Amino acid sequence: MGKIVTIASQKGGVGKTTTALNFSYSLSRLGERVLLIDADPQGGMSIATNIRKKTGRGLIDYLAGKSQLKEVAFYTKEKKMAIMGIGTVDPDSIHQLEDWARKGALSRALQHIAKHFDYIVIDAPAGLGSLTIALLEASQGVLLASQCRALSLKTLPKMLSLITWVQEKTNPDLSLEGIVLTMRNRDNETENEMFKEISTGFPADLFFSNFISYDPVYELASLRSIPVGMLKAGNFAARNYFQLAIEYKEKEMLLAQSKGEEDDAGSGLF
Amino acid sequence: MTLVLDSSEIREAIALASGLTSALNLPVSAAEEKPRPLAVPAASVKKVQDKLPQPVDEVDPTALVYRGDQLEQVIRNMCQRSHFSGAVVTDDTGLPFAVVNPPVSIEAISAFTTVLGGALERAGSLLGHHGAEYLSLDVNYEEKIILRRFLIDDAPYYLLAICPQDIDERSEIEISIDQIVSILNKK
């Protein structure tokens, strides 16, 4: 059973979709089988990856039983990374999607799909609606995206409260994997000052030590509908996400150790 | 004077984050305080218990009178034990002896078994491996069809089962084949 990780934030426009796409790409380059799912009715991920070139169907159609998994999830040129778009979006289907979310059908479907991959990375819609709650209920991990800007940082308590609520009420297995700072502009003095403050004020490990620097090459990658790592000019930007993925895996390993899993010292290496 | 740390939202976020990260209990963050033993919430324990396979009341096929019932019970037990969706036993012509949860009509599944059986036999002879007896076919992302050919007095029979892709079904199939053969062999 693969791990379901939701990329979320309360505020829109903080780089969730870019993070979901490039983080998934990096995980797949590290050898993991990843399915990236667009669960945002805005369809940002479907546009960012141009999955519509393959099919207009997606998550909504799968949930409606109109399509099978193989008809909506497609492996990419990066062999271990597959993508599932949001699918047919109209007022009816969005209403239906929220209904499925409330009734647990979305969670069940995601858990079913997770059997076929190492990671399911979900691009969640911005906000704290029923869809986000259902995604958190189905996930083992949540990764928050935030800019190092006052407005973005000040929306964190709402999302953290929601995570705590989901942990307490419905999904005790949900783990806050960390917050990734996106679009960091190191030339901005105010941002640098805020970065210093949050580095000291917030608990250690809450923020990933690898942050994502602002780089115009992301726009170029968006225009081409590819992860930044597939662009020659995007090598430097892609390194941010590779390092983030490595830090994420390391954190995951440490977490497993801290849960007191017994070692195999007695049985040896073979 | 700080830029964001004094704001009520950020203070609230820090308080909430402290609770969430202490739950993570990461060794790297626990340098200053002793790591707490991980308390497993009762809800998680119940969730795990719910997921554990429940004991299944199996009916002993030999306790049944008719051979058809015995065969059906063998494959029903097999499906229950290993969470197969369905199974069928047929002879070479596709005549079904026992059927459990067929996904389509019995006629269709019989015909399909014959087609697959023919393909299995032909593949064996074309590839120079006569006596091929096992065929696995992924039908979608979740399930596969297993066809196992077996002989009784040189006459071919087939056990077709529909099972999840992520399980190793071979031992289960072999155990069931032994039982089926012993039932069909009875004089």
Side-chain angles (χ1 to χ4, degrees):
Chain A
M1 171 96 174
K3 181 175 181 182
I4 304 174
V5 182
T6 294
I7 313 286
S9 78
Q10 199 214 333
K11 189 180 175 302
V14 295
K16 259 193 318 294
T17 301
T18 305
T19 296
L21 174 61
N22 291 287
F23 177 65
S24 300
Y25 178 75
S26 303
L27 279 178
S28 69
R29 293 297 303 269
L30 291 175
E32 308 287 358
R33 284 176 308 158
V34 183
L35 173 65
L36 171 61
I37 299 181
D38 186 3
D40 183 354
Q42 283 188 27
M45 175 64 66
S46 304
I47 297 166
T49 55
N50 202 13
I51 180 103
R52 285 178 195 280
K53 188 173 154 189
K54 287 291 231 181
T55 179
R57 293 185 167 202
L59 178 65
I60 291 175
D61 305 272
Y62 177 73
L63 290 169
K66 291 177 188 165
S67 303
Q68 290 188 7
L69 187 58
K70 62 183 175 186
E71 294 169 321
V72 290
F74 290 94
Y75 274 98
T76 60
K77 282 181 190 164
E78 176 52 47
K79 302 283 182 215
K80 292 201 160 188
M81 177 180 163
I83 296 178
M84 185 196 288
I86 181 71
T88 310
V89 176
D90 54 43
D92 271 351
S93 59
I94 293 172
H95 179 72
Q96 186 66 59
L97 181 60
E98 284 172 356
D99 199 40
W100 285 320
R102 275 189 294 271
K103 289 177 179 165
L106 176 61
S107 297
R108 286 194 296 276
L110 289 172
Q111 272 152 12
H112 193 63
I113 296 170
K115 285 192 284 188
H116 308 291
F117 297 90
D118 297 319
Y119 288 94
I120 304 283
V121 177
I122 302 173
D123 183 28
L128 311 169
S130 53
L131 198 48
T132 307
I133 293 172
L135 293 171
L136 293 180
E137 284 174 347
S139 301
Q140 285 88 52
V142 52
L143 197 150
L144 300 183
S146 173
Q147 278 178 283
C148 194
R149 299 271 172 97
L151 260 185
S152 182
L153 292 168
K154 285 180 178 182
T155 60
L156 283 177
K158 294 269 188 308
M159 184 51 84
L160 295 174
S161 300
L162 180 68
I163 293 168
T164 311
W165 184 83
V166 171
Q167 275 181 342
E168 286 171 2
K169 299 284 178 189
T170 52
N171 183 7
D173 297 331
L174 178 68
S175 148
L176 171 62
E177 314 276 71
I179 304 174
V180 56
L181 288 175
T182 56
M183 297 187 245
R184 268 278 285 130
N185 181 359
R186 280 186 257 204
D187 296 331
N188 184 326
E189 280 308 314
T190 318
E191 205 174 291
N192 287 341
E193 193 58 38
M194 275 194 281
F195 181 69
K196 261 189 222 160
E197 284 184 16
I198 58 172
S199 304
T200 53
F202 278 86
D205 300 319
L206 179 67
F207 287 88
F208 285 97
S209 60
N210 288 289
F211 52 80
I212 310 303
S213 300
Y214 171 79
D215 195 323
V217 79
Y218 285 106
E219 187 58 26
L220 196 59
S222 288
L223 280 170
R224 305 272 297 275
S225 305
I226 52 175
V228 75
M230 285 176 78
L231 273 182
K232 200 177 173 189
N235 281 350
F236 184 76
R239 267 187 63 196
N240 282 178
Y241 277 107
F242 281 129
Q243 283 165 345
L244 177 72
I246 290 166
E247 187 184 350
Y248 176 86
K249 292 288 297 172
E250 187 186 34
K251 217 168 174 177
E252 212 176 34
M253 196 180 71
L254 290 169
L255 182 66
Q257 281 178 356
S258 78
K259 280 186 176 172
E261 287 168 4
E262 285 183 20
D263 59 40
D264 282 329
S267 57
L269 188 57
F270 296 102
Chain B
M1 165 85 186
T2 61
L3 290 173
V4 285
L5 279 184
D6 284 340
S7 81
S8 58
E9 291 92 348
I10 297 297
R11 281 205 302 271
E12 192 187 347
I14 291 171
L16 285 162
S18 303
L20 284 164
T21 48
S22 69
L24 289 178
N25 207 4
L26 284 176
V28 284
S29 64
E32 289 170 11
E33 56 183 73
K34 268 190 173 177
R36 294 181 309 176
L38 193 82
V40 183
S44 322
V45 175
K46 193 177 175 309
K47 207 171 168 187
V48 170
Q49 284 170 345
D50 288 347
K51 278 182 191 165
L52 289 173
Q54 301 300 312
V56 178
D57 291 332
E58 274 190 17
V59 176
D60 179 9
T62 55
L64 299 168
V65 179
Y66 299 108
R67 216 180 281 201
D69 293 342
Q70 291 177 350
L71 280 176
E72 198 166 297
Q73 197 54 52
V74 167
I75 58 174
R76 191 181 302 283
N77 289 347
M78 174 185 80
C79 291
Q80 278 182 350
R81 277 194 306 263
S82 296
H83 305 289
F84 291 3
S85 316
V88 58
V89 179
T90 74
D91 70 1
D92 197 26
T93 61
L95 178 72
F97 295 139
V99 183
V100 169
N101 292 337
V104 288
S105 71
I106 295 176
E107 290 79 12
I109 199 112
S110 299
F112 187 52
T113 307
T114 320
V115 169
L116 284 184
L120 181 63
E121 214 163 326
R122 210 165 300 163
S125 56
L126 284 173
L127 299 171
H129 293 284
H130 295 281
E133 57 182 23
Y134 206 91
L135 189 144
S136 172
L137 180 74
D138 290 358
V139 282
N140 53 36
Y141 270 73
E142 290 117 34
E143 289 185 315
K144 59 187 172 188
I145 282 181
I146 300 297
L147 185 79
R148 169 74 159 82
R149 182 174 183 266
F150 57 99
L151 297 173
I152 298 177
D153 295 334
D154 290 332
Y157 292 80
Y158 296 102
L159 168 64
L160 181 138
I162 302 156
C163 56
Q165 281 188 14
D166 53 358
I167 63 164
D168 184 7
E169 73 295 333
R170 278 180 188 264
S171 54
E172 184 62 67
I173 295 273
E174 295 313 314
I175 290 167
S176 304
I177 293 277
D178 284 348
Q179 290 178 292
I180 292 166
V181 170
S182 73
I183 292 168
L184 288 173
N185 254 338
K186 268 186 208 159
K187 299 291 177 196

